[in-house]
Amino acid sequence: MIVIEDVLSQDVLSEVSAALRELRWEDGRNTAGATARRVKRNQQADLSSRTGSKVRDVLLEAVTRHPVVEAYARPLRFAPPLISCTGEGDTYGLHIDNPVMGKGEARLRTDLSLTLFLSPPESYEGGELEIETVFRTESIKLPAGSMVIYPSTELHRVAPVTSGERFVFVSWIQSAIRDAAQRAILFDITNLKAGLARSFPPGSPELLSLAKTESNLLRMWADT
Ligand code: NI
């Protein structure tokens, strides 16, 4: 998994925080799958309103245009995002995200889940995103404007909020690179390319060779 800091500028964050107060909220169970519904206790914003769709577009743009998201996740498509509010006494118990979301053209396989934190961590108690990996449980509570992307294959939960309100923006990614190990190799190569570009001139044989390797691995592995 990866944490990406400062996905949102302070200006965007203030604009979004103000807009959240104007949104209409509904029971989060409406969008949960059968197993998740039993453990989901939160509110979700109605993003069909004018303010709702504007907030959604601003946040989706910041996420989808981020170069680290592109390099790490290799997104083929994003699921329609949600904005959720976990208030005092709310929680989202241990669950697995739906493997396939949407219908028709919008149908996608969820390879990666993303949570973009919208509330300052000091504004609420509890509400950690807890992800059960093979080795340990990762407990994640990030500054407002920072985001975690993690494999949708893992069980996870939102710890009960004991005071305040936790607002997050959530979406899912179908990666062009289905296999996580292949995705990790490509991410290493992208990072290596950026590192070497500081030492080698543009167009050098070393950089060209690495660009060729990256391109040809993408040709071998990428869904289109
Ligand atoms: Ni989930």
Side-chain angles (χ1 to χ4, degrees):
M1 71 186 71
I2 192 171
V3 168
I4 307 175
E5 291 171 355
D6 301 324
V7 174
L8 306 178
S9 67
Q10 274 310 318
D11 286 355
V12 170
L13 203 49
S14 326
E15 191 187 321
V16 167
S17 306
L20 288 178
R21 302 285 157 200
E22 293 172 32
L23 298 179
R24 217 169 52 76
W25 296 86
E26 48 202 32
D27 192 325
R29 276 172 287 198
N30 297 343
T31 54
T35 53
R37 188 171 296 127
R38 287 188 300 110
V39 292
K40 190 172 186 182
R41 297 283 174 277
N42 67 7
Q43 300 286 307
Q44 266 163 212
D46 171 10
L47 297 180
S48 66
S49 66
R50 213 159 63 93
T51 309
S53 56
K54 194 174 162 220
V55 173
R56 180 196 57 210
D57 291 350
V58 164
L59 294 176
L60 204 52
E61 162 126 353
V63 169
T64 57
R65 294 268 177 98
H66 200 287
V68 179
V69 175
E70 175 56 37
Y72 176 78
R74 307 272 171 180
L76 193 57
R77 49 182 83 91
F78 286 83
L82 307 171
I83 295 177
S84 74
C85 172
T86 311
E88 195 173 321
D90 288 348
T91 181
Y92 193 167
L94 200 61
H95 67 278
I96 188 82
D97 292 342
N98 290 342
V100 177
M101 293 181 181
K103 291 194 173 76
E105 291 276 285
R107 196 169 159 84
L108 86 165
R109 181 188 68 234
T110 54
D111 294 318
L112 294 161
S113 305
L114 70 87
T115 298
L116 170 59
F117 288 74
L118 301 175
S119 308
E122 60 277 11
S123 69
Y124 60 100
E125 296 286 331
E128 293 83 2
L129 171 62
E130 295 179 340
I131 304 164
E132 291 198 349
T133 71
V134 181
F135 305 107
R136 48 170 294 192
T137 299
E138 298 283 348
S139 179
I140 296 162
K141 186 169 181 172
L142 299 176
S146 292
M147 174 169 78
V148 59
I149 305 180
Y150 59 99
S152 305
T153 47
E154 305 301 337
L155 287 169
H156 55 277
R157 70 172 199 139
V158 177
V161 168
T162 54
S163 74
E165 286 175 320
R166 169 197 191 264
F167 291 95
V168 293
F169 173 85
V170 175
S171 186
W172 293 266
I173 297 170
Q174 177 171 342
S175 178
I177 310 297
R178 181 177 189 160
D179 185 283
Q182 292 174 344
R183 220 183 294 130
I185 289 171
L186 288 167
F187 188 50
D188 282 346
I189 291 177
T190 303
N191 288 327
L192 181 61
K193 232 172 49 171
L196 292 183
R198 289 194 283 272
S199 314
F200 292 89
S204 65
E206 290 81 0
L207 290 181
L208 284 173
S209 169
L210 198 54
K212 179 178 136 186
T213 301
E214 183 187 39
S215 295
N216 289 337
L217 287 176
L218 276 168
R219 251 176 225 108
M220 258 192 271
W221 294 337
D223 298 328
T224 53

